[in-house]
Amino acid sequence: MSTLMKTTIVARPLTKAEFAPYGTVIEPYDKEAQTPENSYHINKGYACRHHAIAEAKLDGGDVGMSIFRAKKREFPIALSVMEYHPFGTQAFFR
């Protein structure tokens, strides 16, 4: 006869302090932590860059991770500039 174990998992809000023993929570800087050096507007005010929120050490260099919060734009959009980042990776989510 087998014995079944029962486990209850309780969901709690994810916070940097609670998660610190396991890793880094990557989220935009809150208003109190924002400075002109780590949080600034780009793309003619359509996006805010939260710079260097997390870092990773790799052989041969460091990797900095930033979050960009963009404003919704109306369509159609007339593009005047297209950026190219040959040494970076980007992910987009909504």
Side-chain angles (χ1 to χ4, degrees):
M1 184 182 265
S2 66
T3 305
L4 296 176
M5 293 177 31
K6 185 176 180 181
T7 302
T8 301
I9 299 173
V10 179
R12 296 191 320 234
L14 176 65
T15 66
K16 288 182 178 184
E18 297 255 348
F19 193 75
Y22 311 103
T24 303
V25 174
I26 300 172
E27 63 185 0
Y29 295 108
D30 58 24
K31 291 287 184 188
E32 295 79 32
Q34 290 181 16
T35 69
E37 291 77 31
N38 72 16
S39 182
Y40 45 89
H41 287 91
I42 60 171
N43 296 342
K44 298 182 179 179
Y46 278 98
C48 181
R49 178 181 179 131
H50 295 264
H51 181 69
I53 289 176
E55 295 182 355
K57 304 283 185 198
L58 300 174
D59 290 340
D62 298 334
V63 176
M65 292 168 246
S66 301
I67 292 178
F68 298 81
R69 283 195 152 164
K71 294 179 183 176
K72 182 178 178 181
R73 294 194 185 207
E74 298 299 321
F75 289 101
I77 299 173
L79 298 177
S80 60
V81 175
M82 182 63 75
E83 294 181 354
Y84 173 61
H85 303 278
F87 303 110
T89 299
Q90 296 178 324
F92 299 89
F93 60 95
R94 48 174 251 178

